[in-house]
Amino acid sequence: MGRHRSDPMGLARMALAVVAAGALVTLLVIGARALIGTLSAPSQAERERVSAAATPVGEPDARVPTVRIECLAETCPTVTVRVPGGDVLQHREMSRGEEVNYFEDELDVVVSDGGTVRVTENGLPRPQGEPGARQAFTVRASSG
């Protein structure tokens, strides 16, 4: 009358395999959800374009941006806009025709190639930079 004994090591291996498979499925689900969220979310450039488009130019009630930057070249090398001592609002290349508007009270701006962009400070054009020359400046919102 032989009794069938179960192998404790075999059960442990089986349990470990089930746990590993569950962990793998969980990671795949989390990764897929993150990828779908990334693909469906608008990029920073798209959000800035929408923001810029939502700001009517030339209307009397429209707010004037503290700084407006428009890319004139095929590609404008790195354009950085940040709040002094605070958030970096932009640090990237721009494409021809792309424009961004920022309304913060004070902004530090660094343009890798001043000849590739058109900059407007509080509605007034800033002198065009020299091609290939780096520009760095601070803009404060006009009071009034």
Side-chain angles (χ1 to χ4, degrees):
M1 302 195 166
R3 251 177 145 187
H4 184 266
R5 286 181 35 172
S6 57
D7 178 18
M9 290 303 285
L11 290 175
R13 284 188 198 114
M14 177 93 74
L16 186 58
V18 169
V19 169
L24 179 62
V25 168
T26 301
L27 288 173
L28 287 173
V29 169
I30 292 170
R33 293 183 86 186
L35 180 61
I36 290 169
T38 300
L39 294 176
S40 64
S43 70
Q44 178 182 357
E46 289 169 334
R47 287 192 304 269
E48 288 168 350
R49 283 190 191 118
V50 168
S51 171
T55 307
V57 178
E59 289 187 13
D61 294 338
R63 290 187 345 171
V64 175
T66 306
V67 70
R68 177 182 175 273
I69 303 169
E70 179 185 0
C71 179
L72 304 174
E74 195 62 37
T75 300
C76 297
T78 306
V79 176
T80 304
V81 180
R82 76 185 288 268
V83 176
D87 294 336
V88 175
L89 305 175
Q90 174 174 319
H91 179 75
R92 62 179 175 80
E93 293 182 345
M94 294 175 64
S95 302
R96 181 185 300 278
E98 180 181 355
E99 56 186 69
V100 292
N101 295 308
Y102 294 100
F103 296 87
E104 284 69 17
D105 291 333
E106 185 174 356
L107 295 163
D108 288 333
V109 179
V110 179
V111 179
S112 296
D113 184 345
T116 62
V117 296
R118 180 181 300 135
V119 178
T120 306
E121 297 179 11
N122 298 303
L124 301 172
R126 181 179 174 85
Q128 185 74 30
E130 293 295 319
R134 178 181 181 272
Q135 286 187 312
F137 53 93
T138 299
V139 182
R140 288 174 188 79
S142 61
S143 57

